[in-house]
Amino acid sequence: MKDAISIVASTILMFGGTLLASYCIFAYFTSRRERIELPANTPVRLLGPGGAYRCHFLRRDEERLVFSSPIQADHYVPIRTGERLLVQAPGDNCLVSFRSEVAERDPDTHEIVLEEPEHVRRVERRSNRRSAALNGEDALLNGDIATLIDICTTGAAIITRRRTNPGERVNLVLPVTNLD
């Protein structure tokens, strides 16, 4: 009888210890701030109480993010220290957005420094799912060879040497595939 009780007690202790360890690991990883990795000179949109501003991500200084001077209607706009902003930047196949507070601003260069955000959202901007089934296949863009990356019902991502302008009409010929 004592053996059965000791086996049950040790099983309960091991199960409780496992739950406690997993809770501690989960709490540790969720409490850490997510580090933003943006390439230098990434275009960024800042949204604040005064409106929307354009700028570029410049660099990371310790645990802070440095951005170029905020521009609105082609004029520099001084943003106050302590102001909360919504930051939106293009990421890898998504839109990266987060809220942060202006930690400081440089009066000479007009650069602003934002605190590292606590939570980062990555939003897929396409309304339809992308398919990489044709990844690496050759296609024709206005008669020139292009390489397909992915495709969806509203568009395709391709690599080509031909430069196109926004709004320019293009003709994309896809490879013939066997649908059997």
Side-chain angles (χ1 to χ4, degrees):
M1 182 71 175
K2 281 187 172 183
D3 290 338
I5 293 174
S6 66
I7 290 173
V8 170
S10 63
T11 304
I12 291 172
L13 284 174
M14 285 180 24
F15 181 72
T18 304
L19 283 177
L20 180 63
S22 63
Y23 173 78
C24 291
I25 291 170
F26 178 77
Y28 171 75
F29 283 110
T30 57
S31 68
R32 293 177 53 199
R33 291 184 173 190
E34 189 172 347
R35 189 171 171 92
I36 300 291
E37 296 297 334
L38 294 175
N41 210 27
T42 299
V44 175
R45 180 169 50 177
L46 304 175
L47 301 169
Y53 314 102
R54 296 172 311 186
C55 67
H56 288 85
F57 174 74
L58 299 177
R59 65 187 176 282
R60 173 184 297 282
D61 284 346
E62 299 166 12
E63 293 299 315
R64 294 181 171 180
L65 307 171
V66 181
F67 295 87
S68 65
S69 60
I71 305 294
Q72 186 180 51
D74 295 330
H75 293 88
Y76 162 69
V77 178
I79 297 178
R80 291 184 309 240
T81 303
E83 193 168 319
R84 295 238 350 128
L85 299 172
L86 174 66
V87 180
Q88 296 178 331
D92 292 331
N93 296 325
C94 67
L95 174 73
V96 176
S97 69
F98 58 89
R99 293 193 182 277
S100 185
E101 190 172 296
V102 177
E104 61 185 77
R105 68 176 191 192
D106 189 316
D108 298 325
T109 63
H110 302 298
E111 293 176 352
I112 60 170
V113 179
L114 300 180
E115 295 290 341
E116 184 84 25
E118 291 183 17
H119 179 69
V120 178
R121 285 183 55 208
R122 286 174 169 71
V123 180
E124 172 62 50
R125 294 186 287 181
R126 286 190 179 180
S127 59
N128 301 318
R129 277 222 156 317
R130 301 173 189 212
S131 170
L134 298 176
N135 187 1
E137 294 285 330
D138 286 339
L140 293 176
L141 177 70
N142 293 341
D144 296 332
I145 292 182
T147 304
L148 285 166
I149 297 172
D150 63 37
I151 191 167
C152 71
T153 57
T154 58
I158 61 170
I159 298 174
T160 181
R161 292 179 188 226
R162 181 184 174 97
R163 186 165 189 86
T164 59
N165 296 319
E168 180 180 340
R169 184 173 284 257
V170 295
N171 182 24
L172 182 65
V173 179
L174 299 174
V176 176
T177 60
N178 186 1
L179 300 176
D180 292 335

